[in-house]
Each structure stands twice: as structure tokens, then as C-alpha cells.
Amino acid sequence: MKLATYRKKSPWILHYNAGGCNGCDIEILACLAPKYDIERFGMINTGNPKQSDILLVTGPVTKRSRERLVEIYAQMPEPKVVVACGACASTGGVFRGMYNCEGGVDQFIPVDVYVCGCGTRPEQIIDGVVQALAILEQKNKDMEASVRLNTQPIAEDEQLNRRHVAASITPTPTV
Amino acid sequence: MESLLAGLVGLPLAVSLLLLILPRQLAKWMVIAAAIILSILSVFAYANTNSAVGITLPHYINEVVAGADLLLLLFFGWIAIKRKSILVGLLTMLQLGGLVYLLNNMPATAAPQLMVDELSAFMFILINVISGIIAIYSLRYIEEEPCSPFRKKYFLSIIFWFIGAMNLVVCADNLEYFFLFFELTTLASFLLISFRQDAESRANAITALWMNQVGGLAILGAIFFLLRSGSGEASFSNLLALAPAGGLLLPLALLSMAALIKGAQLPFSSWLLGAMVAPTPVSALLHSSTMVKIAPFMILRLSPALKDTPLASAIIALTAFVFIAAAVGALAQDNFKRILAHSTIALLALMIMMGALGTPVTVVASLALMLFHGISKSMLFLNAGILERVFHLKNTSDMDRLGESGPFTALVTTIGFMSLLLPPFGAFIGKWLSIETLGSYAVDARLLGAFTLIAVVCGSAVLTLLYTKVIGLLIARSGEHDRVQFEKTGKTYTGTIYALLALIALSIFGLPLLLTHFFAPVAAAASAQDVTVMIKGWSIFVDTMKLPVLPPLIAFFLLPAAIIAAMFIHFRHVDRTREYMCGEKVNYSFSSFYLTADKATPYAITIGVVLFGALLVAALI
Amino acid sequence: MSHTFIAIILIILAPFLGGLVYGLERVIRARMQRRIGPPVLQPFYDFLKLADKRRMVVHSAHAFLGIMHFVSLWYALGVFLLGGDLILVIFLHLLYTALIILAGYSTRSIFSHLGANRTALSIIAYEPVLILIAVSMYMITGSFEASAAFHHPQPLLYKMPLAFVALLLVLPIKLKKSPFDVAEAHQEVTGGVELEFSGIYYEAVYTAKWLDYIFSYTLVYLFAGSNILLGIGLMLFTFIYLNALDNATARVNYKQMLRFSLGVSFSLAFINLLINSLS
Ligand code: SF4
């Protein structure tokens, strides 16, 4: 059955702050409020990876949050897209190169759409999400492995055990 | 009949004596054999009972009974001195005085002292089958008890003695005999509760003793007033024959009070709760097949006389209150056995209420509840023992990992709870019958009826919630344990549990047959009116009430079957994922909520006392 | 016969109708906040999308209980609409809620547990009121059958207005609307018991919510007796009322909810019952 067109009409959002300054988060929340009203696209902020299609990540990935990020990403069922909101999430932004930061989100999970701006504007976010919808519509790819913190998911017959995707923090050698 | 009765009484008493002497291995086989023989005898006794059979005992037995009465009271007196309990002493003195007075004034009669009717035969089955299973279970349980080998034998011995005494209680007709047997069960429970011999057991045993002695005193009072009203001998059959006469309400009220105390209704509920300190088979015995079941039994015995009297209304009001109070009280508990105890009190209240209403439907409901509650509760208590012995768990809040370490026990406990709650298990049918009858009672008796109905329905809702809460802890697992692997707990444990599971299965599949061929005749005999139970098409007709069978039957597949299946089901080709904890990877332990009802307890007891007083007032006016 | 026929049609269409109600509700709520809001058919888009996601469970028992929750809810609704015994219906209703609570307890997830606990508490809050309403109806119609209420010539509303008010006060708890939405509380416990379901398994729980709408509105309809117009009026009124309330109030905590429900709603229904039983 071709249900893909409907998928585009009901993207549920999970919003995760990987260590940003909260600027972008406030903009995201503004999108949900009456002025920008992204519920008209059928979006709901679920706050729950298991029922979400779009992961909106803000902020650079700090060392404390990288495992959580991968874990949350692993808990989202496919198809799913990741939108990196703001300069931090895209590249590390003003925090790039700091002792506690790892840089952009794409170091750990595959990112589909990058939204620029420090704080990114609601219009940009909406634009990014709408672009993400197009990707979501095509996307039906398998579970992606984490790029750096990777342990391959254990596959028994056709099922994946995602319980141990994000490995625990081992001191990474400093570059 | 006489020989069967002799077997039912003689065998447990003989076993009880032999157990003390025989070596361990032999004793074990004897217990198993005795349990099986007793169950068979009780079924035979039921099959052979078509009407009330009076059994006249030789004259010298009267003397023996009087002597035994006095000996028993002397023993109580000795306990009072040894344990320095003024209350027990005082009650013993009162009982002694009353007894001596009555013995001197008792008119000599040639009426049969014992009487076996369908109700007694029903009780025989309940007592012997379930207690037999519990006795077998205790073989293993008591092995692990830290006490001397002699005390282990002694424990089993008292259990059989208890069974013998219970068999006597349910067939006594003469009230003086009844008093003796009643107090014999009190004594047996006293000895069992104080078995562990620590300070707490002793204190609780004394509480159980004095509370039940109040019941004994009430029986003596009943005999006294019955004799004084000049209505002939003091026996149940005479009381029922004279029932419509007005002056009899006082003895009836006193007998009902004795029943309510035995049944641990509210102001006197603490003895049953205190009995938890004893080894678990004792609780199983007290709660399911013996002791507390005397209460609904007595009320059912008296129900033709009680029916439609102000006394019955008072009993109904009291039990309605106890039902909801005990249900809420159960929600306030964390200890597994205490939860069970509270739910026993609640359900006993329901059985007593149904007995007091005395219509055909309610009597059937009461009988169904008695039997099915007996089966389910004994199973739950046996599981409580296993939890304690094998898994070292006492509180429900610690049980959240049981589904992983002991899935079999968890599953069986879940089934036990569901059999008290869900359609189409027998207990549900009992409750349903009760609620439907209370509906018409609500229209007839208006305010009291409406109050009762609300109490029962809300109480049931609270109990449902309670069972849900416990079942929820029992089925909890982490995603790592998707496939269950049943644990082994030992032959005796598993065997007895399987026996009870079989009985529960019987209560589901045999329910239509049980209703028409088992409960209906017994109810007819107990309520002294015709009880018609018919099955037509997809409905069961109990008297004038029509119960559709289909909805509960479908509900069975949706609810209990679903919960049981949830234990086994395993989806393939589906990813497994971690629980959502904001990305954290921590394994949490869980307990469950419970209310704190400590503040309410004194009020509940006060209301209980007031309603208990209302019983007497209702009898006097 | 035609009544049974309509009932069967309603039962079969129940998830669809419930979805529509939910869709309308989202639109109305958006309009009340001067937003445009999603399309009316939005719940069905969600439905189709959820069906298409990769399957994922925490453990099988959990997912299975969620599905059984939906099935038994549909069954309870069926018994209700076919005019079954009200006590049985309320009992079944309690049990299907128990199933979702059990599902919540069966995982080792904090939010699921919190949600299950809160759902259990909300049952304590509204169940007694429903029971009182059933009993009062019995007092008037002389039967526990729901069909007796459906066919009662005079609307029950006239004889039990206070009970209707009580029902209006507990419906937000049942439908998890503000101010009594502690059980779901997206901002606190991220959906409570629903949290761990995903994809097609969440679909069962999501659709069960739609069925719950039909269940609740049927409860409202009971008050109209055989007067269909009044019934529709009552349902419309309830619909507007619920959404206005949901938009206008903030969440109270569970203690306040219990106190309010058992104090105010319960007393209202009880006073109504007293009046009925004395007259
Ligand atoms: S991009 Fe700018 S506004 Fe956004 S989180 Fe980073 S620093 Fe803050």
C-alpha cells in the first residue's frame, strides 16, 4: 500500500537540546505557539522518541549528551529524519572546539537538513521542517548505525535489538 | 451418614494424634493419604445428603461434651494466668459462670445433637478439600521452619485437629455442642497463631483468643435468652422452627454477633490481621477453608430466620460498611499477606451480607463466593508462602523483579488474583449476582438499599484497582526478559499449586453445572425455599434473575486470557528497544502507590462499634 | 430491531466517528486559540502514518496488552451501545482501563509507571460517580439495562440534573482534558502509559482514545432518554464545554483532582440519588 503521502501529513516532532544556549529552543517553541502554528501541518510536539518522525536537535553535542542523543535517535522508529537547528547543531557554532563539545550533530547521527542561524528564526525552522518532510516521504532506509559511538545493533533473524546501540562513554583520546 | 461423619471427624483427630508419634517419613505419607481420603469422604457425604439428617448421640456424650467444655475453659484460664492477660481471664470467668449456670438449667432433651444437611455437606467439601491441600503444602513449608522436629509434627497435628473441629462445627445442631466446637476452633487458631513463640505472635494470639471468646460468650448468651424465652431446647433447628416469633431476635442477634466476630468484621478485624505472624499455611487455613468461613456458614444457617428482620438490615448495614472500609484498607497496605487479609475481610462481609438478605439468588451468590473465594485465597496464600520461602519477598513493592526471577509464581499469583476479580471466574459470578440483587433491594429498601449498593459497587471498584496494582507489579519485566523461563520451586509446592489451579479451572468450566447441581440444592436447603437455577440458551436463570452468559464469556477471552497470554506471547520480526528515560540508560526499580489510611482506622473502628451496637438495638426494638 | 441495527452500525463505525470527533476537537481547540489548526481528517493521517512505521516494542507483553486494551474497549462499547447491563458496562470499562494500567506497569519505564499510577488514581476519582449515576438510573427506570434508559419516554435529565452536572465534572478526567489531565500530562510525564508504545502498537492505544470519546458521549446521551434531539443537543453542549474547559484551565495536581472529584462531583451525584430514592 502506498501510504507514503500520508506520512508527510503527520510528522510528529521530538525536540532535543544537546547542549545549546536555549536560544534555538525558544524559537522552536515559538513555532508551536499560535503565531506560527505548525500544527496546521499536522505536527505535534510529542516529546517522545518512540512516536516521533522528526528529531529537531539544537546546540552543539556536549560530551555529557552525546550518548543520550544516540540513544534517543535509536529509539525512534524508521522512517525518521533529523533536522539540525541552528549554527551549533550544524557545526558546533560559537562553541566549536571547546573542551566540552564534540561539534555538530552529524558527528554522531546522520543529519538530513541543516538550518542555519544563531538563533535560527521560526520561519527558517518551518522551512527546514518542510524540507525534511520531503525527505521523510522518500525515506525508508534501515536503521543507521551511530557514526562514532558505534556498536552495531544485534540482528536476530529480521529483528534488531536496539537496546545497546549507544555504547557507554569510554575516555576518547584527545585530538 | 453416621459412619461418614465418624470418618470425617475421627480421621483427622486420629491423624492428629498419630502425627505426634510416628516418624517423619511415615507421617508425610499419612498426611497425604489423609488429605485425599478426607476429600473423598466429603464428596461422598455430599452425594449422600438429600435432606437434613439428625444424628442422636448416646447420652454419655452429653457428659463428655460438658466435661470438655469445662476443660477447655480451664485451659483458657491457665493461658490467662500464664500470659497475664486480664481480658482473657475475665472472659473465661464469664464464660465459665455462664456455662455452669446453663449446664444446671439445661432441660434434658432427646433431640438429635448433630444434624447434617446440604449446607453442612457443602461445608465438608469446602473444608476438607482445601484444607487437605494446605496440609500437604505445609509438609514442605514446615520443613524449612527453624524449630525443633517435635514442633514440626505438632504443627501438622494441630492442622488436622483444626480440620476435625471444623467438621464438627458445621454439623452441630445443639447450641451447647456448637459452643464447644466453636471454642475448639478458637483454641486451635490460638495455638497456631502463637506457634512461632515470639513476643508478637504471643500478643496477637491473645488478641485472637479474647476476640473469639467474646463470640463464645455471645453464643452462651444466645442459649441463655433462648431458654429464658421458654421456647424449648437450644438448637439451630428449634430456632429456625420458631423463627417468626418476635422474642427470638435477641438470641439471633447474639449468634450473628458471634458469627461476625469469627468473620473478623470491623471492630473485631484485628485478630485476623494479627494472625499474619503465624507460618503462612496457618493464614491459608484461617482465610480460605476454616475459621472465618464459620461466619457466612452461621449466617446462612440462620438466614431463614434472619430474613426481612430489622436485625438483617443492621447486619447488612454493618457488612456494607466493612466491605468498603476493608477494600480501602487493603489499598493502604504494602505487605502481601496484609493485602490478602483485607480483601478476605471485604469478601467475607459480602458473603455475610448475601446470607443476611436470604433470597434464593443471594444465598446462591453467598455459596458461590464462599467456595470460590476459598479456592482462590488458599492459592494466593500458598503463593505468599512460596514467595517468602523461595524468593524472600514479603512486600508487594519488592516484587517488581518477580516476573523476571520467578515467572511461574508470578503467573500463578496473577491467576489467583484474577480469579477473585474477573469474569468468568466463579467469584465474579458471585459478585455479579450480589450486585444485581442489591439493585432490587435498593428499590425496596430505598435508602439502606442504595447505600449498600453503592458501598458494594465502589468497594468492588477499589478491590479491582488493588488487584490491578498488584498484578501490575507481578507482570513487570524489563525488555531483556522477553521470553519467560519458568523456575522450579519444588515438588510439593508445585503439586499443591497445580491442584488448586485445577480447582480454579473447574470453577470456570464447570460453573453452569455447579450452579444447577451444586449451589441450587444447597441454597434451597439453606434458605428453606425453592431455588430454581436454569440454563436456557445463552442465559442463566437464577430464580427470577436472568444473567446473560455471552458477555462475560467473551470478556474472558479479552481479559484474563489476555493477561495470561501476555506472559507467553513473543512478537517476532519486531525490533526491541530500551525504555524511554530521556536517553539515560539506568535500570530502575519500582514499587507501587498505596494510600495511607492510618488516620482513618480509628474512625472506621468507631463506626464499626456503633454499627455493632445497632445490631443489638435492632434486636431489642 | 431498527435500534439494534443502528447500534451495530454505530459500533462498527465507532473508531471512525471517534476519529472525527477528535479531529473536530483539534480544529475547534485551534480556533479557540485563534489558530488555523490541522485538517479535520488529521487523526486519520496520523493513523495511516503510524501503520507504516518500523515495528518496535519494549517487550511483547507490553505491546500485547496495549492491543488488548483497544479490543476490550471496543467490546465494552459494543455491550454499551447494544443496551447491555450498565453495571457490567461500568465493570468492563474498569477492566479495559485496568489493561492499559497493567501495560504501563509491565515495563521498567519511570514515566509509564507514573502514568499508570495516575490513571489508577483517576479511576478512583471518576468511577464512583459513574456508579452513582448508574444506580440513580436504576432507581428511575427500574432496570440496569442501558436500553431501558435509551427507551425511557421522559428524558432522565429532568429527574437527575445534578447527576448530569456531576458527569460533566468527571468527563474531563476520563477524557484526559485539562484541568484533570494528570494521567496524560504531556509536559510532565510525556503521555504516561502511552509513552512506551510506538508505531502500530501505539496505533491501538491512539485509536482506543477515539473509542473512549464515543463511550463518553454515549454516557451523555443516556440522559436524554428516547428524545434524540435532546440527546444530540446534550452531546454538542458537552463537546463545546469540554473544549472550552480544556483551553481555559491549567492542570491541577492529582490530590486536588481527587479532592474535587470525590468532594464535589460525588456529593452532587449522591444528593441526586438521595432525592431520587426518597421521592
Ligand atoms: S545556534 Fe546560537 S542560539 Fe542556537 S543554540 Fe547555538 S548559540 Fe544558542
Side-chain angles (χ1 to χ4, degrees), chain A residues 20-24 59 86-88 94-95 117-119:
Chain A
C21 80
N22 245 1
C24 292
C88 290
V94 292
F95 300 111
C118 174

Side-chain angles (χ1 to χ4, degrees), chain B residues 517-600:
Chain B
H517 288 85
F518 189 52
F519 295 127
V522 177
S527 64
Q529 47 197 321
D530 276 343
V531 177
T532 49
V533 178
M534 278 184 310
I535 297 174
K536 252 197 238 155
W538 285 106
S539 306
I540 299 179
F541 291 85
V542 183
D543 206 38
T544 51
M545 185 169 295
K546 179 185 161 194
L547 289 183
V549 176
L550 213 49
L553 206 63
I554 297 176
F556 166 69
F557 288 104
L558 293 178
L559 298 159
I563 295 172
I564 295 169
M567 285 299 263
F568 297 103
I569 211 136
H570 181 81
F571 290 125
R572 298 189 62 217
H573 310 312
V574 173
D575 294 356
R576 298 295 186 270
T577 165
R578 192 177 280 279
E579 298 82 356
Y580 174 69
M581 278 160 203
C582 308
E584 297 290 335
K585 290 186 281 187
V586 189
N587 250 332
Y588 288 92
S589 272
F590 292 100
S591 61
S592 189
F593 71 98
Y594 46 91
L595 308 173
T596 45
D598 296 347
K599 270 192 222 148

Side-chain angles (χ1 to χ4, degrees), chain B residues 86-134:
Chain B
I86 298 172
L87 207 50
V88 174
L90 204 66
L91 284 165
T92 313
M93 296 296 274
L94 280 174
Q95 281 188 329
L96 206 58
L99 191 69
V100 171
Y101 172 83
L102 286 177
L103 285 177
N104 287 331
N105 294 292
M106 197 74 111
T109 56
Q113 294 96 334
L114 302 183
M115 188 186 66
V116 179
D117 63 353
E118 283 90 341
L119 185 60
S120 319
F122 170 84
M123 290 299 289
F124 284 152
I125 293 188
L126 175 68
I127 294 165
N128 292 297
V129 175
I130 296 179
S131 310
I133 295 175
I134 296 173

